[in-house]
Amino acid sequence: MLLLDLRRNSRGVEESCRIRGVMAKNNFLTGTIPSSIFNLSSLSNLDLSYNNLKGIIPSQLGNPSSLQKLFLNYNQLSGELPANICNNLPFLEILLLDENNFGRRIPSTLSRCKHLQTLSLSVNGFSGAIPKEIGNLTKLKSLYLSQNSLQGEILEELGNLAELEELWLQNNFLTGTIPSSIFNLSSLSNLDLSYNNLKGIISSQLGNPSSLQKLFLSYNQLSGELPANICNNLPFLEILLLDENNFGRRIPSTLSRCKHLQTLSLSVNGFSGAIPKEIGNLTKLKSLYLSQNSLQGIISSQLGNPSSLQKLFLSYNQLSGELPANICKNLPFLEILLLDENNFGSKIPSTLSRCKHLQTLALSVNGFSGAIPKEICNLTKLKSLYLG
């Protein structure tokens, strides 16, 4: 009804031209988008997101040269993106089309929207390669292409996006290696390439995106060693997810130089050797995931320096020895401690009762002997206890 009334209540072209914004998000609007809306020549903002709109984006758009923000995300729109969308809307700065049913290829002509700063096409049915012409959008700050069916390689041309801050390409079928040009983007803060089919190594010749805070490379086929200098080049990392790959050898002790690290996930790889005691220097670390590797040796009593640690996953390794009696003294905020499927032995330390926030404790399939410490009963927040 809103869209119909907008046309019927206007008193000729002169009055309609004064409309600069149409904000109708989060309603129950249905039907199609009338092409007449795009004839409002002074329209700068159009937000129809979070509705139930269907149909296509009209290819016979008018020429609202002032339109800067177009939000159509979270609807049921379908069909192809019009190849001429940037011819008619040349001053677009934000284009949000995520969570719809668009398909086929991403049109290379999007490169004609020279002012585009945010482009979101995630959660649609786009296939084919990422157009190399996207690299011509030199003002682009955020690019969201996740959860589509995109194929091919990540293009070197994306390294031309000097102002890019966020790049989200996860959950596609991308192949090949990670181009080093991406790591030369000095403004990049968030990079998510997880859930693809990427291969190769993480180059030791990384650039210096000093602003990079979140790096998600999980669920790929990456291999080789982690570069020892990864934290020299990426000193402000807060989240590093590399789980479900084919990395091997030792975990570099130099990860301790990522002083801002809050989450480190290296599970389901081929890491061997001991857990570097230097990990204990990561005082902001909250979550450490090292399960399903081939780690050996003991848990160092120095691992407990990051007092903020809440989740420690060490399951399915070959760790041995005793649990340090001071583990809860150093990690008083632990909520989840998974040590099952290892080779730990001796008695279960009664000092585990000092982990007052512990909700899950898994010690199954080890070599623990002796009695179950009665002090375990002091863990009043415990929800799951595995001693099988």
Side-chain angles (χ1 to χ4, degrees):
M1 289 297 295
L2 174 63
L3 303 183
L4 285 171
D5 290 343
L6 181 66
R7 290 180 292 160
R8 289 176 178 172
N9 290 342
S10 60
R11 299 176 181 175
V13 175
E14 291 185 1
E15 181 173 328
S16 66
C17 285
R18 289 197 290 268
I19 297 177
R20 297 186 179 277
V22 176
M23 318 298 285
K25 67 180 294 186
N26 274 319
N27 282 287
F28 300 95
L29 299 176
T30 58
T32 59
I33 302 173
S35 58
S36 58
I37 281 188
F38 293 100
N39 292 323
L40 299 171
S41 60
S42 294
L43 192 67
S44 60
N45 298 336
L46 176 58
D47 190 348
L48 303 177
S49 58
Y50 294 88
N51 281 290
N52 296 309
L53 299 171
K54 296 183 178 181
I56 63 173
I57 295 179
S59 60
Q60 301 303 316
L61 299 178
N63 188 23
S65 59
S66 59
L67 191 64
Q68 298 172 350
K69 300 176 182 179
L70 178 57
F71 302 157
L72 300 177
N73 47 315
Y74 287 87
N75 278 287
Q76 301 176 42
L77 300 170
S78 57
E80 298 182 58
L81 293 189
N84 65 343
I85 189 170
C86 289
N87 293 347
N88 296 313
L89 310 176
F91 294 105
L92 267 183
E93 295 178 0
I94 300 176
L95 177 60
L96 304 188
L97 301 177
D98 47 297
E99 292 277 356
N100 278 285
N101 300 314
F102 293 111
R104 302 199 181 179
R105 293 179 177 270
I106 298 172
S108 61
T109 50
L110 283 174
S111 61
R112 298 173 186 168
C113 290
K114 297 297 184 182
H115 299 271
L116 209 56
Q117 297 178 25
T118 300
L119 174 60
S120 182
L121 305 178
S122 296
V123 197
N124 277 284
F126 291 110
S127 59
I130 300 171
K132 65 180 181 180
E133 290 82 359
I134 295 291
N136 296 328
L137 295 171
T138 54
K139 294 187 178 181
L140 204 62
K141 294 182 178 180
S142 301
L143 178 59
Y144 303 95
L145 301 179
S146 58
Q147 296 190 54
N148 282 290
S149 297
L150 297 173
Q151 303 168 340
E153 298 188 359
I154 300 173
L155 303 171
E156 287 280 354
E157 284 80 0
L158 294 182
N160 297 331
L161 304 175
E163 297 185 21
L164 197 66
E165 298 174 1
E166 297 183 275
L167 178 58
W168 304 90
L169 301 179
Q170 71 271 25
N171 289 87
N172 280 289
F173 299 97
L174 299 172
T175 56
T177 59
I178 303 173
S180 58
S181 60
I182 287 181
F183 290 103
N184 291 323
L185 296 171
S186 59
S187 297
L188 195 65
S189 60
N190 299 335
L191 175 60
D192 193 343
L193 306 179
S194 57
Y195 291 90
N196 279 289
N197 297 311
L198 301 173
K199 296 183 178 180
I201 63 172
I202 297 178
S203 173
S204 60
Q205 303 301 315
L206 297 178
N208 188 24
S210 58
S211 60
L212 193 63
Q213 299 172 358
K214 299 176 183 178
L215 178 57
F216 304 148
L217 300 177
S218 303
Y219 290 86
N220 279 287
Q221 301 176 42
L222 301 171
S223 58
E225 300 182 58
L226 290 190
N229 65 341
I230 189 170
C231 290
N232 294 346
N233 295 314
L234 311 176
F236 294 105
L237 270 182
E238 296 177 1
I239 300 177
L240 177 60
L241 305 188
L242 302 177
D243 47 300
E244 291 277 357
N245 278 284
N246 299 315
F247 293 112
R249 303 198 181 180
R250 293 179 176 270
I251 297 172
S253 61
T254 50
L255 283 173
S256 62
R257 298 173 186 168
C258 290
K259 298 298 185 182
H260 299 271
L261 210 57
Q262 298 178 24
T263 300
L264 174 60
S265 183
L266 304 178
S267 295
V268 197
N269 277 284
F271 290 110
S272 59
I275 301 171
K277 64 182 181 180
E278 291 83 358
I279 296 292
N281 296 327
L282 296 171
T283 56
K284 295 184 179 181
L285 197 64
K286 294 182 179 180
S287 301
L288 177 60
Y289 304 98
L290 301 178
S291 297
Q292 296 189 53
N293 283 289
S294 298
L295 298 172
Q296 301 172 335
I298 63 172
I299 295 180
S300 170
S301 60
Q302 301 302 312
L303 186 63
N305 290 335
S307 60
S308 60
L309 197 65
Q310 298 172 358
K311 299 176 182 179
L312 179 57
F313 288 31
L314 299 177
S315 303
Y316 291 87
N317 279 289
Q318 301 172 36
L319 299 169
S320 58
E322 301 181 45
L323 294 189
N326 66 343
I327 189 169
C328 288
K329 180 180 179 181
N330 294 320
L331 305 176
F333 297 106
L334 265 184
E335 297 177 0
I336 301 176
L337 177 59
L338 304 187
L339 302 177
D340 49 305
E341 292 279 356
N342 278 284
N343 299 316
F344 293 111
S346 192
K347 292 179 178 290
I348 298 173
S350 61
T351 50
L352 283 174
S353 62
R354 297 175 186 169
C355 290
K356 298 297 185 182
H357 299 271
L358 208 57
Q359 298 177 25
T360 300
L361 174 61
L363 304 178
S364 299
V365 196
N366 277 285
F368 291 111
S369 59
I372 300 173
K374 63 181 180 181
E375 290 82 359
I376 294 291
C377 298
N378 295 328
L379 296 171
T380 56
K381 294 186 178 181
L382 202 64
K383 296 179 180 180
S384 302
L385 176 61
Y386 301 97
L387 301 176

